[in-house]
């Protein structure tokens, strides 16, 4: 069997006909296998969802208890039979509960990475390398200019800035799921003992992380009257809030943004960021290359991101490489629970 | 090098002047000699090595990175130094740990090596340094050696930051600056109170200038006209000309801008003329102007001379540079600054007469008895003695006759009374987010005037303004922009504007010039928002002909 017979791209995303299931589907489908809880991968409205227990719980927190008709939890490493195929979930190191999905059929093994990273993250299980024939990788940071520094170094810069500007509030834009909690945990590791303040939209997910046993120290939801008093404090908010009315009530705010995109100055300037923090939950260029080679795959498919450069590199390494041009992934910033897109056209806001 | 790189990185993102100062002061406080001294030299533009060419940097990266990947990366990032800094492959950590036994690369090593090494060695040295640095370090190094730091810091601001270490005023630093050289060990020792003030051994040092406060007509009521002397305020460039002799007896002549930047090389014609004056050494405070047949040319003409970096003989002949003197700060070793203005003025008049140099003349006194006389002169300089030079007069300077010359902007002794600004009613077309405190507001506005277009009446942009309004008005305009956006281009929004719809802004400006770079053909000087005309229909805003008329009127004056 060839991989292209096992998995096909459809308007709803990657589809496996032999098992009649989609992976991270963009539209409502009968059976969905979901890698992780970010809104571009985990949408509401499917008949049944198979995902890790944490991902199912995150979908419940984000979209309410009725996000799918039926759910089934997969433990990491558990082998699950679906119509003669075997599927299994393996840690992707991206956010809490994130998984790569391995599909095996008649000796052929395909791994769909979902979003992943290799760097250490105290808030989720580390990436597990799964040897395979075909590796389907993301390429969010698939250009050699993207090399993420040690996150601890970036956190040290944030703490240093709070010391130098004790009268200014440090507003750190960060995605609500995963990035925000990772920053809290890294701040604690760096010895930051003050309370950490969060924007209201982050509260539910942060409390969920705490219930999962991840120690984030004292985390306080910011209220209106408190805002002017938060000089020298760290306030974590969704990136979009940095430009909203909400941010104006803080004392002389230092707009910071934690993202791999901050590696490129023009990107940081475009968003009016004064303290760019290069902290990413995605693999950087070196991690992508290293991981692809380490899986031992002979074929590479690239789902989304900067596909061209990664495909060019992989071809040079003797791999059969091709881009899938999947549209609809790569914007983790969407805050509200986005239902799967019902129409034929993807929402331009998500591209 | 790492700490310096982090400083540059942070400065490049920080819009506020005060916060830039704090970042620099913190760096100077916590960084040892000689590193901080070389950093100060880099920030003040005092490093004198030959800059590396972009071709060299491209060649280095092409030896190390696949050309397709380089091209895709450069296309994405858009800046060569930054692309190379990010792409540069980290050297493999070998078993021998070659990179780890060496001490980290110091800025002082970079500066001293560049000063002594030849062109042929540069690629090899640069590659070794890039291997030793992280991304930000590589970015800073490449910016430094290509001579394009561009972190929004003037020499003056960097000196202010050094002064802040020990509570010294920037002018105190300026006083000793020209006798010093990198890495400024003696300067830091003095500022930190460890050693005496360095000797100012510079034969032709810059003297921080005295500046004037703006005055309102209402302020005049409490001032006595007899206490003041008046002069025209010239629309040129403040210039200090200093002459002296160095240790070997050689004559030194220097010209400085208001901020102490030396610009002698830009005006060789003027420098040549002034180097042959009979006086031994002197310091003149005055205005750089272009004079043709004895007439002062408007600022737009001076601008044409300033725009050229390399000055040809023809360019100098077409735009002859002059100094119009209004103060004499020292002569033949005697410091005149502690003298009263009226005494300095007498000495200045005698000095200029004795020089008898066509390129140097005296800024005339404007006679007046009452403030009413002066207001009339200000309103119509041509009839009050400025005659043909009136187009280059931007107002009146008032100096207390007993005022001594003190650096900075003391309140009381000197005032400037500008001519009334011009006004025009224009329609808002685009808005852009501001910086710093205003970064969440649409606070920079592009506005236009009406003209006859191919398809009937159209708006043509005439300028951009971001000041003049209160915080409350800013919030109103911000709301207006958000509610009337019809297009977005990155940080810029295009708002609704037509004959029937649109917001009129009353724009005040100080002057106007013809401009081939602007679509409208005219450029405003210092435009600012005077009033928001919520009441005025867009179709009643001014036409471009109004501005063209102003210009012609000025030219014929
Ligand atoms: Zn994700
Ligand atoms: Zn994603």
């Amino acid at each position: 069997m060839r991989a292209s017979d096992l998995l096909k791209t459809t308007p709803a995303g990657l589809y496996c006909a032999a098992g009649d299931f989609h992976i991270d589907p963009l539209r409502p489908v009968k059976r969905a296998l979901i890698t992780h809880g970010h809104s571009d991968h985990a949408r509401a409205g499917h008949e049944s969802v198979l995902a890790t227990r944490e991902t199912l719980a995150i979908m419940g927190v984000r979209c309410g208890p009725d996000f799918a008709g039926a759910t089934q939890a997969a433990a990491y490493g558990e082998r699950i039979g679906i119509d003669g195929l075997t599927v299994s979930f393996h840690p992707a190191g991206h956010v809490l509960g994130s998984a790569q999905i391995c599909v095996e059929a008649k000796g052929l093994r395909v791994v769909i990475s979902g979003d992943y990273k290799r760097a250490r993250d105290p808030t989720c299980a580390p990436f597990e390398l799964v040897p395979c024939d075909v590796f389907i990788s993301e390429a969010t940071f698939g250009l050699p200019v993207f090399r993420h520094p040690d996150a601890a170094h970036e956190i040290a810069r944030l703490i240093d800035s709070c010391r130098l500007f004790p009268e200014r509030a440090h507003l750190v834009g960060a995605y609500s799921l995963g990035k925000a909690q990772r920053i809290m945990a890294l701040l604690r590791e760096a010895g930051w003992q003050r309370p950490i303040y969060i924007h209201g939209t982050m509260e539910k997910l942060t409390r969920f992380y705490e219930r999962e046993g991840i120690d984030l120290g004292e985390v306080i939801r910011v209220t209106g009257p408190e805002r002017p008093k938060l000089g020298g404090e760290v306030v974590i908010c969704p990136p979009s809030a940095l430009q909203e009315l909400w941010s104006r009530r803080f004392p002389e705010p230092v707009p910071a943004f934690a993202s791999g995109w901050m590696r490129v100055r023009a990107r940081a300037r475009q968003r009016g960021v004064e303290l760019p923090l290069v902290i990413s939950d995605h693999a950087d260029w070196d991690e992508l290359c290293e991981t692809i080679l380490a899986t031992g795959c002979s074929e590479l498919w690239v789902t989304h991101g900067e596909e061209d450069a990664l495909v060019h590199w992989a071809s040079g390494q003797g791999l059969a490489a091709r881009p899938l041009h999947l549209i609809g992934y790569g914007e983790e910033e969407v805050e509200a629970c986005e239902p799967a897109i019902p129409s034929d056209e993807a929402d331009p806001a998500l591209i | 090098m790492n700490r310096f790189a982090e400083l540059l990185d942070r400065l490049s993102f920080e819009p506020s002047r005060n916060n830039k100062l704090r970042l620099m002061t913190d760096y100077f406080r916590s960084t040892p000699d000689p590193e901080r001294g070389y950093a100060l030299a880099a920030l003040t533009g005092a490093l004198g090595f030959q800059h590396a060419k972009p071709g060299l940097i491209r060649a280095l990266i092409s030896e190390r990175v696949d050309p397709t990947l380089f091209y895709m990366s450069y296309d994405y990032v858009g800046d060569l130094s930054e692309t190379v800094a990010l792409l540069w492959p980290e050297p493999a950590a070998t078993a021998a740990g070659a990179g780890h036994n060496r001490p980290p690369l110091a800025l002082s090593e970079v500066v001293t090596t560049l000063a002594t090494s030849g062109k042929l060695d540069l690629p090899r040295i640069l590659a070794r340094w890039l291997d030793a640095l992280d991304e930000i370090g590589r970015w800073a190094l490449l910016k430094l050696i290509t001579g394009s730091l561009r972190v929004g810091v003037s020499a003056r601001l960097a000196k202010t930051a050094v002064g802040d270490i020990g509570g010294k005023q920037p002018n105190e630093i300026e006083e000793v600056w020209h006798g010093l050289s990198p890495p400024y060990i003696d300067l830091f020792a003095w500022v930190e109170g460890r050693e005496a003030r360095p000797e100012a051994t510079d034969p032709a040092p810059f003297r921080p200038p005295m500046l004037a406060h703006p005055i309102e007509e209402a302020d005049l009521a409490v001032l006595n006209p007899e206490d003041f002397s008046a002069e025209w305020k010239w629309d040129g460039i403040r210039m200090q000309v200093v002459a002296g002799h160095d240790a070997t007896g050689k004559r030194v002549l220097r010209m400085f801008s208001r901020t102490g930047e030396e610009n002698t090389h830009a005006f060789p014609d003027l420098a040549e003329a002034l180097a042959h004056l009979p006086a031994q050494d002197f310091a003149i405070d005055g205005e750089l102007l272009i004079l043709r047949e004895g007439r002062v040319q408007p600022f737009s003409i001076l601008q044409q001379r300033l725009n050229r970096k390399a000055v040809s003989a023809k360019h100098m002949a077409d735009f002859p540079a002059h100094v119009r003197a209004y103060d004499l700060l020292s002569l033949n070793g005697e410091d005149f600054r502690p003298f009263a203005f009226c005494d300095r003025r007498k000495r200045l008049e005698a000095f200029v007469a004795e020089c008898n140099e066509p390129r140097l003349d005296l800024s005339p006194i404007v006679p007046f008895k009452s403030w009413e006389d002066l207001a009339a002169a200000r309103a119509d300089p041509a009839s009050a003695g400025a005659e043909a030079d009136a187009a280059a007069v931007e107002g009146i300077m008032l100096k207390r006759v007993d005022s001594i010359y003190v650096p900075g902007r003391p309140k009381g002794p000197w005032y400037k009374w500008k001519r009334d600004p011009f006004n025009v009613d224009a329609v808002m077309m685009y808005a852009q987010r501001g910086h710093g405190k205003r970064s969440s507001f649409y606070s920079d506005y592009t506005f236009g005037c009406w003209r006859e277009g191919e398809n009937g009446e159209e708006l043509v942009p005439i300028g951009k303004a971001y000041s003049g309004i209160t915080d409350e008005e800013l919030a109103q305009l911000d709301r207006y922009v958000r509610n009337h956006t019809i297009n977005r281009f990155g940080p810029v929004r295009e708002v609704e504007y037509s004959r029937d719809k649109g917001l009129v802004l009353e724009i005040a400006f100080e002057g106007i010039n013809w401009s081939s770079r602007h679509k409208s053909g005219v450029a405003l000087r210092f435009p600012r928002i005077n009033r928001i005309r919520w009441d005025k229909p867009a179709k009643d805003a001014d036409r471009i002909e109004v501005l063209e008329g102003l210009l012609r009127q000025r030219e014929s004056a």
Side-chain angles (χ1 to χ4, degrees), chain A residues 143-145 147 153 157 161 163-165 167-168 248 252 261 263-265 267-268 274 276 309 312, chain B residues 6 9-10 12-15 19 22-23 26 66 68 76 82 86-88 135 139 440-441 478 482:
Chain A
L143 271 177
V145 291
R147 285 209 215 99
H153 176 259
R157 291 178 56 229
S161 180
R163 174 190 63 78
L164 189 57
F165 296 110
E167 77 290 4
R168 304 178 69 188
R248 297 182 194 166
E252 243 200 291
W261 299 117
R263 184 85 280 178
V264 175
R265 283 157 196 282
R267 279 268 188 157
E274 288 171 30
H312 170 83
Chain B
E6 300 225 332
D9 182 57
R10 191 76 205 265
S12 74
F13 287 109
E14 176 56 66
N19 291 330
R22 300 249 306 263
L23 288 165
D26 182 62
D66 173 294
T68 307
Y76 185 92
E82 187 179 346
L86 294 174
L87 272 182
W88 193 264
E135 286 97 336
W139 168 78
S440 59
F441 291 93
D478 179 69
R482 288 172 197 272

Side-chain angles (χ1 to χ4, degrees), chain A residues 128-152:
Chain A
E128 177 190 314
L129 187 76
V130 185
C132 57
D133 303 299
V134 179
F135 187 54
I136 304 184
S137 180
E138 60 139 330
T140 306
F141 293 113
L143 271 177
V145 291
F146 290 111
R147 285 209 215 99
H148 310 325
D150 184 0

Side-chain angles (χ1 to χ4, degrees), chain B residues 402-414:
Chain B
D402 60 357
S403 60
I404 59 166
Y405 195 96
V406 281
R409 206 186 293 274
K411 184 121 195 167
W414 285 15

Side-chain angles (χ1 to χ4, degrees), chain B residues 480-544:
Chain B
Y480 177 87
V481 170
R482 288 172 197 272
N483 291 337
H484 294 83
T485 301
I486 53 167
N487 258 318
R488 291 163 197 238
F489 315 94
V492 178
R493 289 186 180 209
E494 182 173 16
V495 297
E496 208 170 23
Y497 53 83
S498 66
R499 295 294 285 172
D500 312 315
K501 287 178 182 163
L503 180 61
V504 177
L505 302 173
E506 183 181 293
I507 305 293
F509 53 97
E510 298 298 330
I512 181 167
N513 296 315
W514 296 113
S515 164
S516 52
R517 286 187 304 119
H518 292 78
K519 211 170 146 191
S520 60
V522 297
L524 306 183
R525 295 196 71 208
F526 306 119
R528 59 189 184 276
I529 298 161
N530 218 23
R531 260 195 305 167
I532 309 171
R533 297 295 306 265
W534 300 105
D535 56 311
K536 192 159 188 166
K539 64 175 179 347
D540 293 345
D542 280 320
R543 304 183 55 81
I544 192 78

Side-chain angles (χ1 to χ4, degrees), chain B residues 424-425 449-453 457-458 499 539-548:
Chain B
V424 65
D425 284 336
C449 281
W450 293 108
R451 72 170 176 195
E452 183 73 39
E457 288 291 291
E458 64 174 22
R499 295 294 285 172
K539 64 175 179 347
D540 293 345
D542 280 320
R543 304 183 55 81
I544 192 78
E545 290 83 6
V546 172
L547 294 172
E548 293 167 354

Side-chain angles (χ1 to χ4, degrees), chain A:
Chain A
M1 177 176 256
R2 289 182 311 168
S4 52
D5 297 326
L6 187 63
L7 286 164
K8 287 193 168 22
T9 54
T10 70
L14 267 183
Y15 176 64
C16 174
D20 190 20
F21 60 80
H22 287 79
I23 292 168
D24 291 348
L26 298 156
R27 303 178 186 177
V29 298
K30 201 168 126 223
R31 183 148 56 178
L33 272 60
I34 289 180
T35 58
H36 69 286
H38 276 142
S39 60
D40 51 336
H41 297 256
R43 294 166 197 267
H46 308 302
E47 279 179 40
S48 77
V49 171
L50 174 60
T52 63
R53 181 188 60 78
E54 294 88 341
T55 297
L56 292 174
I58 288 166
M59 291 178 76
V61 170
R62 298 185 62 245
C63 310
D66 303 325
F67 66 89
T71 61
Q72 183 188 345
Y76 284 136
E78 180 189 353
R79 295 172 66 80
I80 300 165
I82 301 178
D83 300 343
L85 307 172
T86 306
V87 300
S88 53
F89 287 64
H90 306 270
H94 176 54
V95 297
L96 182 59
S98 67
Q100 313 166 71
I101 297 175
C102 176
V103 182
E104 289 173 80
K106 300 189 187 110
L108 177 76
R109 199 189 245 200
V110 181
V111 169
I112 300 101
S113 74
D115 294 338
Y116 66 102
K117 73 168 175 291
R118 308 294 302 269
R120 201 184 76 83
D121 182 341
T123 67
C124 68
F127 178 91
E128 177 190 314
L129 187 76
V130 185
C132 57
D133 303 299
V134 179
F135 187 54
I136 304 184
S137 180
E138 60 139 330
T140 306
F141 293 113
L143 271 177
V145 291
F146 290 111
R147 285 209 215 99
H148 310 325
D150 184 0
H153 176 259
E154 299 298 286
I155 292 294
R157 291 178 56 229
L158 172 61
I159 293 176
D160 212 37
S161 180
C162 292
R163 174 190 63 78
L164 189 57
F165 296 110
E167 77 290 4
R168 304 178 69 188
H170 285 63
L171 306 189
V172 182
Y175 300 135
S176 303
L177 169 58
K179 184 71 63 65
Q181 296 78 20
R182 184 179 176 209
I183 287 168
M184 297 176 209
L186 289 171
L187 277 166
R188 296 311 181 200
E189 284 185 353
W192 183 259
Q193 289 173 345
R194 308 209 34 81
I196 296 171
Y197 295 85
I198 56 169
H199 188 278
T201 57
M202 296 188 155
E203 182 156 40
K204 279 202 273 177
L205 282 166
T206 302
R207 300 300 171 214
F208 169 73
Y209 265 62
E210 288 171 338
R211 287 199 300 278
E212 289 289 306
I214 295 157
D215 184 11
L216 303 174
E218 191 185 355
V219 179
I220 301 174
R221 178 190 173 144
V222 151
T223 58
E226 240 176 329
R227 279 182 274 174
K229 298 179 207 149
L230 296 182
E233 304 290 353
V234 173
V235 183
I236 304 180
C237 62
S240 55
L242 291 177
Q243 275 134 14
E244 284 166 3
L245 277 165
W246 177 83
S247 70
R248 297 182 194 166
R249 299 288 304 280
F250 291 92
E252 243 200 291
V254 177
F257 187 8
S259 163
W261 299 117
M262 293 298 104
R263 184 85 280 178
V264 175
R265 283 157 196 282
R267 279 268 188 157
R269 284 216 192 85
Q270 192 183 27
R271 302 196 67 132
V273 172
E274 288 171 30
L275 184 62
L277 302 172
V278 188
I279 302 177
S280 173
D281 286 335
H282 293 267
D284 67 7
W285 173 259
D286 293 340
E287 292 172 20
L288 289 170
C289 297
E290 185 196 317
T291 306
I292 291 163
L293 294 180
T295 61
C297 68
S298 55
E299 214 175 298
L300 171 74
W301 298 1
V302 184
T303 52
H304 63 288
E306 298 292 324
E307 301 105 320
D308 295 346
L310 197 61
V311 165
H312 170 83
W313 169 84
S315 306
Q317 299 291 317
L319 301 178
R322 68 181 178 101
L324 296 183
H325 298 303
L326 291 181
I327 289 170
Y329 300 106
E331 188 60 89
E332 290 159 354
E333 187 177 338
V334 183
E335 292 309 325
C337 180
E338 296 284 328
I341 303 161
S343 80
D344 279 347
E345 275 167 85
D347 179 352
L350 296 175
I351 298 168

